[in-house]
């Protein structure tokens, strides 16, 4: 699977679902058909935000640092994703 830079920004970085989870900087759009996540429950998602943004901006040092954080915070602790961690 691959996306060019413009599509990655449109479909991932600026997607309503990602902005809802990470806490978008702007006000939510009431026309979006997305279940908004409570902003108080987004602790720990900074690593995911850094992962996406550093990949988009080609800051690979930060990308791999945040990838390790995501592995530690999410993959190891999730019973479904944990079995994919060795890959």
């Amino acid at each position: 699977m691959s996306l060019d830079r413009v599509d990655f920004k449109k479909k991932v970085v600026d997607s309503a679902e990602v902005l809802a989870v990470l806490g978008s900087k702007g006000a939510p759009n009431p026309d979006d058909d997305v279940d908004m996540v409570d902003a108080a429950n987004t602790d720990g998602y900074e690593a995911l935000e850094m992962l996406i943004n550093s990949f988009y901006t080609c800051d690979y040092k930060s990308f791999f640092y945040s990838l390790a954080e995501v592995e530690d915070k999410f993959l190891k602790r999730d019973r479904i994703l944990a079995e994919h961690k060795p890959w």
Side-chain angles (χ1 to χ4, degrees):
M1 181 176 116
S2 67
L3 291 173
D4 62 24
R5 193 169 170 79
V6 174
D7 287 337
F8 181 77
K9 177 142 174 71
K10 184 171 81 175
K11 293 179 180 180
V12 178
V13 176
D14 292 337
S15 73
E17 294 87 357
V18 170
L19 294 176
V21 170
L22 298 179
S24 70
K25 307 295 187 253
N29 184 353
D31 296 330
D32 287 342
D33 187 24
V34 175
D35 294 332
M36 297 299 285
V37 174
D38 184 11
N41 294 329
T42 59
D43 292 339
Y45 287 97
E46 297 87 16
L48 288 173
E49 184 175 16
M50 189 166 70
L51 181 77
I52 293 169
N53 290 329
S54 61
F55 184 74
Y56 177 71
T57 60
C58 302
D59 181 9
Y60 297 116
K61 180 180 178 181
S62 295
F63 172 76
F64 284 108
Y65 174 76
S66 59
L67 183 61
E69 261 191 272
V70 167
E71 176 191 11
D72 193 45
K73 289 183 179 181
F74 296 100
L75 291 180
K76 287 182 181 178
R77 297 177 184 180
D78 187 275
R79 66 181 177 89
I80 295 171
L81 296 175
E83 65 186 60
H84 301 286
K85 183 187 157 302
W87 298 96

